Amino acid sequence: PIDNLTLWYSLGVGTPASGIAGEIRATNDVTAYYSSDKRLKKDIENIENPLEKVMKIGGYNFNWIPVEGVHSHTGADIGVIAQEIESILPEIVTTRDNGYKAVQYEKLVALLIEAIKEQQLQIEKLNKRIDNL
C-alpha cells in the first residue's frame, strides 16, 4: 500500500505516481534542457583519450531484477553498468541514498562525440595511406 506521503515524493504525468521516492513517470516524451552556454563554463578542455574510454564501456542486454522501493522497471532492457562507467567517468555516476548507483546517460554524449572525431581522424589517416600506395 502506498501512503499519501510516499506519493508526495514520486510523480506521475499522465499516469499514476509509482510510490517510489524520487521516481518520475510520464506517458510521453520528457524534454529537458541543460545549461550548455559557453559563458557559464571555464577551464574547458576536450575529453582526453575518448576512444580508449569508449572501448572500456560495455553496452548490455539484461533483464531487470525487481527491487521494491528502488525502481519500477520490468523485463528486458539495454544499458550500461554504473560501476564500469564510474571507473572511467566518475563524474557522471552518483550513488543514491539507497546505495544503488545511477548514470547520467545524457553525459555520455560528449564522450561519444569526441570518440567519433578521434575515430574519424584515424580513418582519414588510413585513407591517406591507401591513396599513397
Side-chain angles (χ1 to χ4, degrees):
I2 299 172
D3 60 41
N4 287 336
L5 183 60
T6 302
L7 284 174
W8 182 255
Y9 292 109
S10 64
L11 176 65
V13 180
T15 186
S18 69
I20 296 172
E23 182 173 82
I24 300 171
R25 287 184 172 179
T27 57
N28 208 327
D29 292 343
V30 176
T31 305
Y33 297 92
Y34 293 88
S35 295
S36 292
D37 193 303
K38 185 176 183 177
R39 297 171 295 175
L40 299 173
K41 302 173 182 183
K42 64 179 186 175
D43 304 326
I44 298 170
E45 299 175 1
N46 282 344
I47 297 169
E48 290 186 24
N49 307 310
L51 196 51
E52 180 182 318
K53 289 176 177 150
V54 167
M55 295 301 293
K56 293 178 182 176
I57 297 172
Y60 301 99
N61 293 303
F62 62 91
N63 289 295
W64 285 101
I65 298 170
V67 181
E68 190 173 330
V70 174
H71 70 85
S72 63
H73 308 296
T74 59
D77 208 343
I78 63 170
V80 296
I81 303 297
Q83 288 82 351
E84 279 185 10
I85 301 297
E86 187 174 43
S87 71
I88 300 158
L89 296 168
E91 61 273 26
I92 71 168
V93 175
T94 188
T95 302
R96 295 186 171 149
D97 291 341
N98 60 17
Y100 288 92
K101 296 185 180 294
V103 175
Q104 293 175 306
Y105 273 82
E106 73 281 1
K107 304 265 178 147
L108 288 171
V109 172
L111 174 65
L112 298 175
I113 288 169
E114 288 303 307
I116 289 168
K117 288 166 45 179
E118 184 176 305
Q119 194 171 54
Q120 186 61 36
L121 290 174
Q122 291 177 3
I123 291 167
E124 289 171 5
K125 184 177 177 180
L126 289 171
N127 280 337
K128 284 181 185 176
R129 286 178 59 190
I130 290 169
D131 289 344
N132 291 332
L133 290 179

